[in-house]
Amino acid sequence: MIKGRNPLNGEVVISGAKNAVVAIIPAAIIANGVCIIDNLPAIEDVRCLQDTLIKLGAVCELIDEGTLMVDSSNLNNWNATFDSVRRIRASYYLMGALLARFKEAKVALPGGCNFGTRPIDLHLKAFRALGAVIDEDYDNGVISLKADRLVGTNIFLDTVSVGATINTMLAATLAEGVTTIENAAKEPHIVDTANFLNMMGAKIKGAGTDVIRITGVESLHGAEYMIIPDQIEAGTYMIAAAVCGGHVSVRNIIPKHMDSLSAKLKEMGCKVIEGDDYIDVISDGNLSATRVKTMAYPGFPTDLQPQMVAGLSKADGISILTETVWENRFQYIEQLRKFGCDITIDGRVATIHGVSQLHGAEVMATDLRAGAAMVIAGLSANGITKIGNVRFIDRGYEKIEYKLKALGADIKRVKE
Ligand code: EPZ
Protein backbone atom coordinates (compact mmCIF):
# COMPACT_ATOMS: atom_id res chain seq x y z
CA MET A 1 0.00 0.00 0.00
CA ILE A 2 1.53 3.30 -1.08
CA LYS A 3 0.50 6.90 -0.51
CA GLY A 4 2.23 8.69 -3.34
CA ARG A 5 3.95 12.00 -4.03
CA ASN A 6 6.58 12.02 -1.27
CA PRO A 7 10.01 13.09 -2.50
CA LEU A 8 12.78 10.57 -1.84
CA ASN A 9 15.84 11.60 0.13
CA GLY A 10 18.71 9.78 1.83
CA GLU A 11 20.81 6.68 1.29
CA VAL A 12 19.81 3.25 0.09
CA VAL A 13 22.22 0.32 0.33
CA ILE A 14 21.98 -2.13 -2.55
CA SER A 15 21.96 -5.88 -1.91
CA GLY A 16 23.84 -8.67 -3.69
CA ALA A 17 22.85 -9.33 -7.29
CA LYS A 18 19.95 -11.72 -7.78
CA ASN A 19 21.03 -12.84 -11.23
CA ALA A 20 24.57 -13.53 -9.99
CA VAL A 21 23.59 -15.41 -6.84
CA VAL A 22 21.10 -17.64 -8.67
CA ALA A 23 24.00 -18.88 -10.81
CA ILE A 24 26.59 -18.96 -8.03
CA ILE A 25 24.56 -21.14 -5.63
CA PRO A 26 24.15 -23.92 -8.26
CA ALA A 27 27.83 -23.45 -9.23
CA ALA A 28 28.78 -24.34 -5.65
CA ILE A 29 27.48 -27.87 -6.33
CA ILE A 30 30.46 -28.53 -8.58
CA ALA A 31 32.96 -28.09 -5.75
CA ASN A 32 34.14 -30.89 -3.55
CA GLY A 33 34.21 -28.82 -0.42
CA VAL A 34 32.71 -25.91 1.42
CA CYS A 35 31.77 -22.65 -0.30
CA ILE A 36 30.96 -19.49 1.61
CA ILE A 37 28.87 -16.97 -0.29
CA ASP A 38 28.79 -13.42 1.11
CA ASN A 39 26.57 -10.41 0.31
CA LEU A 40 23.69 -12.81 -0.17
CA PRO A 41 20.43 -10.97 -0.90
CA ALA A 42 17.46 -12.00 1.29
CA ILE A 43 15.09 -12.71 -1.59
CA GLU A 44 12.67 -15.51 -2.46
CA ASP A 45 14.76 -16.91 -5.34
CA VAL A 46 17.66 -17.52 -2.92
CA ARG A 47 15.40 -19.26 -0.39
CA CYS A 48 14.06 -21.42 -3.19
CA LEU A 49 17.55 -22.46 -4.35
CA GLN A 50 18.63 -23.12 -0.77
CA ASP A 51 15.67 -25.46 -0.39
CA THR A 52 16.58 -27.14 -3.68
CA LEU A 53 20.21 -27.78 -2.71
CA ILE A 54 19.14 -29.21 0.66
CA LYS A 55 16.74 -31.56 -1.12
CA LEU A 56 19.62 -32.66 -3.36
CA GLY A 57 21.63 -33.62 -0.26
CA ALA A 58 23.88 -30.58 0.25
CA VAL A 59 24.30 -28.77 3.54
CA CYS A 60 23.15 -25.26 2.71
CA GLU A 61 22.61 -22.86 5.57
CA LEU A 62 22.83 -19.23 6.54
CA ILE A 63 25.78 -18.87 8.91
CA ASP A 64 25.23 -15.16 9.31
CA GLU A 65 22.89 -12.54 7.91
CA GLY A 66 23.92 -12.33 4.27
CA THR A 67 26.30 -15.32 4.36
CA LEU A 68 25.44 -18.74 3.00
CA MET A 69 27.49 -21.89 3.52
CA VAL A 70 27.15 -24.59 0.90
CA ASP A 71 28.80 -27.95 1.54
CA SER A 72 28.02 -30.28 -1.32
CA SER A 73 30.70 -32.90 -0.51
CA ASN A 74 27.99 -35.45 0.30
CA LEU A 75 25.58 -34.42 -2.43
CA ASN A 76 24.93 -37.54 -4.48
CA ASN A 77 21.60 -36.89 -6.16
CA TRP A 78 21.29 -35.51 -9.67
CA ASN A 79 17.52 -35.80 -9.80
CA ALA A 80 16.12 -32.27 -9.38
CA THR A 81 12.53 -32.69 -10.39
CA PHE A 82 10.78 -31.46 -7.26
CA ASP A 83 8.59 -28.39 -6.87
CA SER A 84 11.09 -25.75 -5.71
CA VAL A 85 12.99 -26.33 -8.97
CA ARG A 86 9.93 -25.47 -11.03
CA ARG A 87 9.34 -22.23 -9.15
CA ILE A 88 12.29 -20.26 -10.52
CA ARG A 89 13.81 -19.71 -13.91
CA ALA A 90 17.41 -19.98 -12.78
CA SER A 91 17.02 -23.63 -11.81
CA TYR A 92 18.19 -24.28 -15.36
CA TYR A 93 21.70 -23.71 -13.93
CA LEU A 94 21.29 -27.03 -12.10
CA MET A 95 21.59 -28.70 -15.51
CA GLY A 96 25.08 -27.31 -16.18
CA ALA A 97 26.24 -27.77 -12.58
CA LEU A 98 24.95 -31.33 -12.09
CA LEU A 99 26.15 -32.35 -15.54
CA ALA A 100 29.64 -31.06 -14.69
CA ARG A 101 29.72 -32.90 -11.37
CA PHE A 102 27.94 -36.20 -12.17
CA LYS A 103 27.89 -36.28 -15.99
CA GLU A 104 24.20 -36.81 -15.42
CA ALA A 105 21.24 -34.62 -14.48
CA LYS A 106 17.47 -34.77 -14.40
CA VAL A 107 15.98 -31.32 -13.94
CA ALA A 108 12.41 -30.01 -13.96
CA LEU A 109 11.74 -27.36 -16.58
CA PRO A 110 12.19 -23.92 -15.10
CA GLY A 111 9.40 -21.48 -14.19
CA GLY A 112 10.10 -17.83 -13.40
CA CYS A 113 8.66 -14.62 -14.82
CA ASN A 114 6.23 -15.14 -17.64
CA PHE A 115 6.74 -12.62 -20.42
CA GLY A 116 6.47 -14.75 -23.51
CA THR A 117 8.45 -17.68 -24.80
CA ARG A 118 11.60 -18.32 -22.81
CA PRO A 119 13.37 -21.09 -24.72
CA ILE A 120 16.44 -23.01 -23.50
CA ASP A 121 17.41 -24.47 -26.88
CA LEU A 122 20.82 -22.75 -26.81
CA HIS A 123 21.63 -24.25 -23.41
CA LEU A 124 20.78 -27.73 -24.70
CA LYS A 125 22.69 -27.18 -27.94
CA ALA A 126 25.81 -26.32 -25.93
CA PHE A 127 25.43 -29.35 -23.63
CA ARG A 128 25.06 -31.57 -26.72
CA ALA A 129 28.16 -30.05 -28.27
CA LEU A 130 30.07 -30.96 -25.09
CA GLY A 131 28.94 -34.58 -25.43
CA ALA A 132 25.66 -34.86 -23.50
CA VAL A 133 22.77 -36.95 -24.72
CA ILE A 134 19.53 -35.19 -23.84
CA ASP A 135 15.97 -36.35 -23.46
CA GLU A 136 13.44 -33.51 -23.56
CA ASP A 137 10.23 -34.77 -21.94
CA TYR A 138 7.89 -31.79 -22.28
CA ASP A 139 4.83 -33.84 -21.29
CA ASN A 140 6.24 -34.27 -17.81
CA GLY A 141 8.32 -31.08 -17.87
CA VAL A 142 11.65 -32.82 -17.27
CA ILE A 143 15.00 -32.61 -19.08
CA SER A 144 17.41 -35.54 -18.65
CA LEU A 145 21.07 -35.19 -19.58
CA LYS A 146 23.79 -37.82 -19.61
CA ALA A 147 27.35 -37.95 -20.88
CA ASP A 148 30.07 -40.60 -20.85
CA ARG A 149 32.62 -37.82 -21.25
CA LEU A 150 32.35 -34.08 -21.60
CA VAL A 151 34.84 -32.82 -24.14
CA GLY A 152 35.68 -29.16 -24.79
CA THR A 153 34.70 -27.69 -28.14
CA ASN A 154 33.83 -24.46 -29.98
CA ILE A 155 30.33 -23.21 -29.24
CA PHE A 156 28.80 -20.28 -31.12
CA LEU A 157 25.64 -18.95 -29.47
CA ASP A 158 23.15 -17.90 -32.19
CA THR A 159 21.60 -15.35 -29.83
CA VAL A 160 23.37 -13.52 -27.03
CA SER A 161 22.03 -15.38 -24.01
CA VAL A 162 22.93 -14.84 -20.36
CA GLY A 163 21.61 -18.23 -19.27
CA ALA A 164 23.23 -20.21 -22.09
CA THR A 165 26.58 -18.47 -21.53
CA ILE A 166 26.61 -19.26 -17.80
CA ASN A 167 25.27 -22.79 -18.23
CA THR A 168 27.96 -23.57 -20.82
CA MET A 169 30.65 -22.24 -18.48
CA LEU A 170 29.32 -24.43 -15.66
CA ALA A 171 29.18 -27.58 -17.78
CA ALA A 172 32.61 -26.97 -19.33
CA THR A 173 34.58 -26.35 -16.10
CA LEU A 174 35.41 -30.04 -15.69
CA ALA A 175 35.28 -31.02 -19.38
CA GLU A 176 38.37 -32.44 -21.09
CA GLY A 177 40.29 -29.81 -23.07
CA VAL A 178 39.28 -26.31 -24.06
CA THR A 179 35.77 -24.96 -24.62
CA THR A 180 35.31 -21.66 -26.44
CA ILE A 181 32.02 -19.77 -26.22
CA GLU A 182 31.61 -17.24 -29.03
CA ASN A 183 28.97 -14.51 -29.09
CA ALA A 184 28.86 -14.86 -25.30
CA ALA A 185 26.77 -12.49 -23.17
CA LYS A 186 28.76 -9.90 -21.19
CA GLU A 187 26.50 -9.06 -18.23
CA PRO A 188 28.16 -8.33 -14.86
CA HIS A 189 26.71 -11.56 -13.41
CA ILE A 190 28.56 -13.58 -16.05
CA VAL A 191 31.85 -12.10 -14.90
CA ASP A 192 30.83 -12.70 -11.28
CA THR A 193 30.03 -16.38 -11.89
CA ALA A 194 33.31 -16.86 -13.79
CA ASN A 195 35.23 -15.19 -10.94
CA PHE A 196 33.59 -17.52 -8.42
CA LEU A 197 34.36 -20.60 -10.54
CA ASN A 198 37.98 -19.43 -10.93
CA MET A 199 38.25 -19.02 -7.14
CA MET A 200 37.15 -22.67 -6.94
CA GLY A 201 40.00 -23.67 -9.26
CA ALA A 202 38.37 -23.36 -12.69
CA LYS A 203 40.31 -21.88 -15.61
CA ILE A 204 38.00 -19.38 -17.32
CA LYS A 205 39.30 -16.46 -19.33
CA GLY A 206 37.50 -13.72 -21.23
CA ALA A 207 34.28 -13.43 -19.17
CA GLY A 208 32.92 -9.93 -19.83
CA THR A 209 33.93 -10.11 -23.51
CA ASP A 210 32.11 -11.97 -26.26
CA VAL A 211 34.64 -14.83 -26.35
CA ILE A 212 35.08 -16.95 -23.23
CA ARG A 213 37.67 -19.77 -23.02
CA ILE A 214 37.33 -22.51 -20.45
CA THR A 215 40.19 -24.95 -19.95
CA GLY A 216 38.79 -27.98 -18.18
CA VAL A 217 40.28 -28.97 -14.81
CA GLU A 218 40.08 -32.23 -12.81
CA SER A 219 38.00 -30.90 -9.92
CA LEU A 220 36.94 -27.75 -8.11
CA HIS A 221 37.50 -26.96 -4.43
CA GLY A 222 35.57 -24.81 -1.96
CA ALA A 223 35.98 -21.03 -1.93
CA GLU A 224 34.71 -17.91 -0.21
CA TYR A 225 33.14 -15.33 -2.48
CA MET A 226 31.37 -11.97 -2.25
CA ILE A 227 28.48 -11.44 -4.67
CA ILE A 228 28.51 -8.20 -6.70
CA PRO A 229 25.83 -5.57 -6.02
CA ASP A 230 22.56 -5.80 -7.93
CA GLN A 231 22.61 -3.59 -11.01
CA ILE A 232 18.84 -3.82 -11.46
CA GLU A 233 17.93 -3.10 -7.84
CA ALA A 234 20.25 -0.06 -7.99
CA GLY A 235 18.66 1.08 -11.24
CA THR A 236 15.17 0.72 -9.80
CA TYR A 237 16.00 3.10 -6.93
CA MET A 238 17.73 5.52 -9.32
CA ILE A 239 14.60 5.69 -11.50
CA ALA A 240 12.36 6.05 -8.42
CA ALA A 241 14.47 9.01 -7.26
CA ALA A 242 14.34 10.60 -10.71
CA VAL A 243 10.54 10.39 -10.93
CA CYS A 244 9.67 11.26 -7.34
CA GLY A 245 12.23 14.04 -7.04
CA GLY A 246 14.71 14.46 -4.19
CA HIS A 247 18.31 13.44 -3.57
CA VAL A 248 19.02 9.73 -3.26
CA SER A 249 22.44 8.22 -2.76
CA VAL A 250 22.45 4.67 -4.09
CA ARG A 251 25.22 2.94 -2.13
CA ASN A 252 27.32 -0.22 -2.41
CA ILE A 253 27.19 -0.41 -6.19
CA ILE A 254 29.57 -0.60 -9.13
CA PRO A 255 28.80 2.71 -10.93
CA LYS A 256 30.23 1.39 -14.23
CA HIS A 257 27.37 -1.17 -14.35
CA MET A 258 24.92 1.73 -14.35
CA ASP A 259 26.39 3.66 -17.32
CA SER A 260 23.48 3.14 -19.74
CA LEU A 261 20.91 4.23 -17.14
CA SER A 262 22.98 7.13 -15.79
CA ALA A 263 23.30 8.52 -19.34
CA LYS A 264 19.52 8.30 -19.86
CA LEU A 265 18.69 9.94 -16.53
CA LYS A 266 21.05 12.81 -17.36
CA GLU A 267 19.37 13.18 -20.75
CA MET A 268 16.02 13.31 -18.94
CA GLY A 269 17.20 16.23 -16.79
CA CYS A 270 18.50 14.64 -13.57
CA LYS A 271 21.82 15.31 -11.96
CA VAL A 272 23.75 12.05 -11.61
CA ILE A 273 26.95 12.12 -9.56
CA GLU A 274 29.21 9.08 -9.52
CA GLY A 275 31.51 8.13 -6.64
CA ASP A 276 33.70 5.04 -6.15
CA ASP A 277 30.88 2.81 -4.99
CA TYR A 278 27.81 5.01 -5.10
CA ILE A 279 25.72 7.18 -7.39
CA ASP A 280 23.70 10.18 -6.26
CA VAL A 281 20.58 11.02 -8.23
CA ILE A 282 19.28 14.54 -7.74
CA SER A 283 16.00 15.45 -9.40
CA ASP A 284 13.21 18.00 -9.14
CA GLY A 285 10.82 15.42 -10.60
CA ASN A 286 10.49 17.29 -13.91
CA LEU A 287 11.76 14.85 -16.53
CA SER A 288 12.01 15.17 -20.31
CA ALA A 289 10.93 12.47 -22.73
CA THR A 290 13.57 10.32 -24.39
CA ARG A 291 14.20 7.24 -26.55
CA VAL A 292 15.32 3.96 -24.99
CA LYS A 293 16.24 0.65 -26.62
CA THR A 294 16.88 -2.40 -24.45
CA MET A 295 19.95 -4.43 -25.37
CA ALA A 296 22.35 -6.97 -23.95
CA TYR A 297 25.01 -5.48 -21.62
CA PRO A 298 26.46 -2.85 -21.81
CA GLY A 299 23.23 -1.64 -23.43
CA PHE A 300 20.14 -0.56 -21.50
CA PRO A 301 18.96 -3.61 -19.49
CA THR A 302 15.61 -5.19 -20.35
CA ASP A 303 15.20 -5.78 -16.60
CA LEU A 304 14.87 -1.99 -16.12
CA GLN A 305 12.44 -1.58 -19.02
CA PRO A 306 9.16 -1.65 -17.02
CA GLN A 307 10.56 0.70 -14.35
CA MET A 308 11.71 3.10 -17.09
CA VAL A 309 8.30 3.01 -18.77
CA ALA A 310 6.72 3.95 -15.43
CA GLY A 311 9.24 6.80 -15.12
CA LEU A 312 8.72 8.08 -18.66
CA SER A 313 4.96 8.14 -18.09
CA LYS A 314 5.43 11.42 -16.23
CA ALA A 315 8.13 12.86 -18.49
CA ASP A 316 7.36 15.91 -20.58
CA GLY A 317 6.76 14.88 -24.22
CA ILE A 318 6.57 11.62 -26.13
CA SER A 319 9.03 8.83 -25.33
CA ILE A 320 9.70 5.77 -27.43
CA LEU A 321 10.90 2.57 -25.78
CA THR A 322 11.91 -0.41 -27.91
CA GLU A 323 12.26 -3.84 -26.29
CA THR A 324 14.72 -5.94 -28.29
CA VAL A 325 15.46 -8.77 -25.83
CA TRP A 326 12.07 -10.31 -24.96
CA GLU A 327 9.32 -10.54 -27.53
CA ASN A 328 6.48 -10.04 -25.09
CA ARG A 329 7.58 -7.92 -22.14
CA PHE A 330 4.81 -5.32 -22.27
CA GLN A 331 2.06 -7.43 -20.73
CA TYR A 332 2.04 -5.26 -17.61
CA ILE A 333 1.15 -2.06 -19.51
CA GLU A 334 -2.55 -2.67 -18.86
CA GLN A 335 -1.81 -2.32 -15.13
CA LEU A 336 0.15 0.91 -15.62
CA ARG A 337 -2.75 2.41 -17.57
CA LYS A 338 -4.79 2.19 -14.36
CA PHE A 339 -2.54 4.95 -12.95
CA GLY A 340 -3.45 7.17 -15.92
CA CYS A 341 -0.31 6.34 -17.93
CA ASP A 342 -0.83 7.02 -21.63
CA ILE A 343 1.03 4.21 -23.40
CA THR A 344 0.42 2.54 -26.74
CA ILE A 345 2.13 -0.65 -27.82
CA ASP A 346 2.97 -1.67 -31.34
CA GLY A 347 4.86 -4.96 -31.33
CA ARG A 348 8.11 -4.34 -29.51
CA VAL A 349 7.69 -0.56 -29.37
CA ALA A 350 6.00 1.40 -26.59
CA THR A 351 5.01 5.00 -27.23
CA ILE A 352 4.63 6.86 -23.98
CA HIS A 353 2.83 10.21 -23.92
CA GLY A 354 3.95 11.89 -20.72
CA VAL A 355 1.16 13.08 -18.44
CA SER A 356 1.58 15.70 -15.71
CA GLN A 357 -0.15 13.69 -12.99
CA LEU A 358 -0.75 10.01 -12.25
CA HIS A 359 -3.39 8.88 -9.82
CA GLY A 360 -3.24 6.02 -7.33
CA ALA A 361 -4.60 2.67 -8.53
CA GLU A 362 -5.37 -0.88 -7.48
CA VAL A 363 -3.12 -3.16 -9.50
CA MET A 364 -1.59 -6.63 -9.57
CA ALA A 365 2.15 -7.24 -10.02
CA THR A 366 2.36 -9.42 -13.12
CA ASP A 367 6.05 -10.25 -12.72
CA LEU A 368 9.10 -9.12 -10.76
CA ARG A 369 10.19 -6.01 -12.69
CA ALA A 370 6.63 -5.11 -13.68
CA GLY A 371 5.86 -5.13 -9.95
CA ALA A 372 8.76 -2.72 -9.38
CA ALA A 373 7.36 -0.47 -12.12
CA MET A 374 4.02 -0.39 -10.31
CA VAL A 375 5.78 0.60 -7.09
CA ILE A 376 7.45 3.50 -8.95
CA ALA A 377 4.13 4.57 -10.50
CA GLY A 378 2.47 4.40 -7.08
CA LEU A 379 5.24 6.43 -5.42
CA SER A 380 4.83 9.22 -7.95
CA ALA A 381 1.01 9.16 -8.18
CA ASN A 382 -1.51 11.26 -6.28
CA GLY A 383 -3.41 9.26 -3.68
CA ILE A 384 -3.39 5.63 -2.63
CA THR A 385 -2.03 2.68 -4.60
CA LYS A 386 -2.62 -0.93 -3.67
CA ILE A 387 -0.39 -3.54 -5.32
CA GLY A 388 -1.32 -7.22 -5.12
CA ASN A 389 0.83 -10.28 -5.89
CA VAL A 390 3.83 -8.68 -4.16
CA ARG A 391 5.39 -12.14 -3.89
CA PHE A 392 6.67 -11.45 -7.40
CA ILE A 393 8.51 -8.38 -6.13
CA ASP A 394 9.92 -10.38 -3.17
CA ARG A 395 11.57 -12.73 -5.67
CA GLY A 396 14.18 -10.10 -6.47
CA TYR A 397 14.00 -7.11 -4.10
CA GLU A 398 15.21 -7.37 -0.52
CA LYS A 399 13.08 -5.48 1.99
CA ILE A 400 11.79 -3.08 -0.65
CA GLU A 401 9.24 -1.41 1.61
CA TYR A 402 11.83 -0.80 4.36
CA LYS A 403 14.36 0.65 1.94
CA LEU A 404 11.78 2.99 0.39
CA LYS A 405 10.36 4.00 3.77
CA ALA A 406 13.85 4.99 4.90
CA LEU A 407 13.97 7.32 1.88
CA GLY A 408 10.73 8.99 2.93
CA ALA A 409 8.16 7.00 0.98
CA ASP A 410 4.79 6.27 2.54
CA ILE A 411 4.65 2.53 1.89
CA LYS A 412 3.67 -0.47 3.95
CA ARG A 413 2.98 -4.17 3.56
CA VAL A 414 -0.56 -4.68 4.73
CA LYS A 415 -0.68 -8.46 4.72
CA GLU A 416 2.21 -10.96 4.93
C1 EPZ B 1 18.47 -13.64 -17.83
O1 EPZ B 1 17.47 -14.51 -18.33
C2 EPZ B 1 17.91 -13.00 -16.60
N1 EPZ B 1 17.59 -14.05 -15.64
C3 EPZ B 1 16.68 -12.17 -16.94
O2 EPZ B 1 16.33 -11.46 -15.78
C4 EPZ B 1 17.02 -11.16 -18.03
O3 EPZ B 1 15.85 -10.55 -18.48
C5 EPZ B 1 17.71 -11.83 -19.22
O4 EPZ B 1 18.83 -12.64 -18.76
C6 EPZ B 1 18.25 -10.84 -20.24
O5 EPZ B 1 19.16 -9.98 -19.62
C7 EPZ B 1 18.56 -14.60 -14.92
O6 EPZ B 1 19.72 -14.24 -15.00
C8 EPZ B 1 18.15 -15.66 -13.98
P1 EPZ B 1 18.65 -14.84 -22.04
P2 EPZ B 1 17.83 -15.58 -19.43
O7 EPZ B 1 18.96 -16.26 -22.25
O8 EPZ B 1 19.23 -16.02 -19.22
C9 EPZ B 1 16.64 -15.86 -26.29
C10 EPZ B 1 14.88 -10.54 -14.16
O9 EPZ B 1 13.89 -9.76 -14.20
N2 EPZ B 1 17.06 -17.26 -26.02
O10 EPZ B 1 19.77 -13.87 -21.99
O11 EPZ B 1 16.78 -16.62 -19.40
C11 EPZ B 1 15.48 -15.44 -25.40
O12 EPZ B 1 14.25 -15.83 -25.95
C12 EPZ B 1 15.04 -11.61 -15.19
O13 EPZ B 1 15.74 -10.50 -13.27
C13 EPZ B 1 16.90 -18.21 -26.98
O14 EPZ B 1 16.41 -17.95 -28.07
O15 EPZ B 1 17.75 -14.71 -20.74
C14 EPZ B 1 15.68 -13.95 -25.33
O16 EPZ B 1 15.07 -13.33 -26.43
C15 EPZ B 1 13.88 -11.89 -15.98
N3 EPZ B 1 17.28 -19.50 -26.69
C16 EPZ B 1 17.21 -13.77 -25.44
O17 EPZ B 1 17.70 -15.00 -25.95
C17 EPZ B 1 17.85 -19.83 -25.49
O18 EPZ B 1 18.19 -21.01 -25.31
C18 EPZ B 1 17.94 -13.44 -24.16
O19 EPZ B 1 17.62 -14.40 -23.16
C19 EPZ B 1 18.02 -18.85 -24.53
C20 EPZ B 1 17.61 -17.56 -24.81
Side-chain angles (χ1 to χ4, degrees):
M1 183 91 82
I2 300 168
K3 186 158 173 257
R5 299 284 288 157
N6 285 8
L8 300 181
N9 285 293
E11 289 184 10
V12 58
V13 179
I14 297 306
S15 306
K18 163 182 140 343
N19 287 344
V21 76
V22 296
I24 282 173
I25 295 176
I29 289 180
I30 309 174
N32 246 327
V34 177
C35 291
I36 306 288
I37 303 168
D38 293 316
N39 201 26
L40 190 84
I43 54 174
E44 263 317 297
D45 274 20
V46 165
R47 287 185 272 270
C48 200
L49 275 171
Q50 195 184 344
D51 188 42
T52 300
L53 258 60
I54 292 168
K55 287 206 176 94
L56 284 171
V59 180
C60 187
E61 57 195 39
L62 282 173
I63 51 173
D64 207 344
E65 197 186 341
T67 305
L68 184 74
M69 189 269 291
V70 181
D71 181 356
S72 45
S73 348
N74 293 324
L75 189 152
N76 54 14
N77 180 6
W78 51 84
N79 188 342
T81 49
F82 31 87
D83 251 13
S84 52
V85 179
R86 293 187 199 275
R87 284 213 302 273
I88 61 169
R89 182 77 190 159
S91 45
Y92 52 37
Y93 292 134
L94 294 169
M95 295 182 200
L98 291 170
L99 189 62
R101 170 123 179 212
F102 298 110
K103 310 271 181 297
E104 190 160 0
K106 203 168 174 188
V107 179
L109 278 171
C113 287
N114 177 19
F115 34 74
T117 326
R118 297 188 68 179
I120 54 165
D121 56 304
L122 295 172
H123 305 227
L124 302 184
K125 192 170 140 185
F127 296 146
R128 282 197 180 97
L130 290 168
V133 174
I134 303 176
D135 177 49
E136 300 171 55
D137 176 359
Y138 290 105
D139 290 338
N140 294 306
V142 174
I143 305 278
S144 305
L145 310 98
K146 197 168 179 168
D148 293 333
R149 294 164 64 199
L150 292 171
V151 182
T153 184
N154 251 37
I155 293 167
F156 185 91
L157 297 178
D158 305 334
T159 306
V160 180
S161 159
V162 171
T165 302
I166 292 181
N167 238 339
T168 310
M169 283 194 319
L170 295 173
T173 44
L174 304 185
E176 297 165 36
V178 178
T179 300
T180 306
I181 310 173
E182 288 185 64
N183 201 26
K186 297 181 273 198
E187 269 66 6
H189 30 291
I190 288 166
V191 181
D192 213 36
T193 309
N195 286 344
F196 175 59
L197 288 166
N198 283 341
M199 297 263 303
M200 293 197 292
K203 286 195 177 152
I204 302 175
K205 286 194 172 149
T209 75
D210 58 6
V211 182
I212 301 178
R213 276 196 186 81
I214 305 126
T215 305
V217 295
E218 285 279 306
S219 62
L220 299 186
H221 50 74
E224 177 156 3
Y225 193 72
M226 167 96 74
I227 304 282
I228 50 162
D230 197 303
Q231 174 204 23
I232 306 302
E233 189 197 14
T236 303
Y237 287 103
M238 286 171 69
I239 297 171
V243 189
C244 295
H247 180 163
V248 173
S249 192
V250 184
R251 298 261 151 184
N252 182 37
I253 61 168
I254 299 174
K256 181 81 195 144
H257 293 168
M258 311 310 305
D259 279 355
S260 60
L261 175 63
S262 296
K264 277 295 148 197
L265 292 182
K266 283 180 196 164
E267 234 178 270
M268 290 161 68
C270 303
K271 204 164 169 188
V272 180
I273 302 167
E274 275 182 26
D276 285 348
D277 66 349
Y278 67 89
I279 290 183
D280 281 12
V281 176
I282 304 164
S283 165
D284 61 7
N286 295 315
L287 304 175
S288 332
T290 187
R291 281 179 175 263
V292 181
K293 198 181 239 185
T294 66
M295 309 242 243
Y297 189 81
F300 191 92
T302 171
D303 294 344
L304 284 176
Q305 179 257 99
Q307 302 90 313
M308 196 60 166
V309 169
L312 291 172
S313 294
K314 277 189 80 182
D316 186 26
I318 300 174
S319 299
I320 308 285
L321 192 145
T322 309
E323 169 62 54
T324 74
V325 180
W326 296 110
E327 66 188 30
N328 201 0
R329 206 177 189 172
F330 285 131
Q331 289 161 340
Y332 65 91
I333 294 290
E334 205 44 54
Q335 301 293 314
L336 280 192
R337 289 193 182 120
K338 295 185 182 172
F339 292 91
C341 298
D342 182 353
I343 305 164
T344 48
I345 303 294
D346 183 8
R348 287 175 176 245
V349 180
T351 305
I352 306 141
H353 291 253
V355 295
S356 54
Q357 291 298 339
L358 298 180
H359 50 79
E362 205 160 303
V363 290
M364 292 303 248
T366 48
D367 69 60
L368 166 61
R369 308 303 173 188
M374 289 167 211
V375 171
I376 291 175
L379 290 172
S380 67
N382 286 323
I384 306 284
T385 288
K386 203 170 158 189
I387 305 175
N389 268 352
V390 289
R391 65 191 160 83
F392 278 120
I393 303 175
D394 292 333
R395 284 195 37 216
Y397 290 90
E398 176 176 328
K399 296 184 183 146
I400 189 166
E401 72 271 33
Y402 293 99
K403 290 188 183 185
L404 283 169
K405 217 185 208 156
L407 293 175
D410 189 341
I411 178 170
K412 62 183 176 200
R413 189 179 291 255
V414 283
K415 211 163 83 185
E416 282 301 326

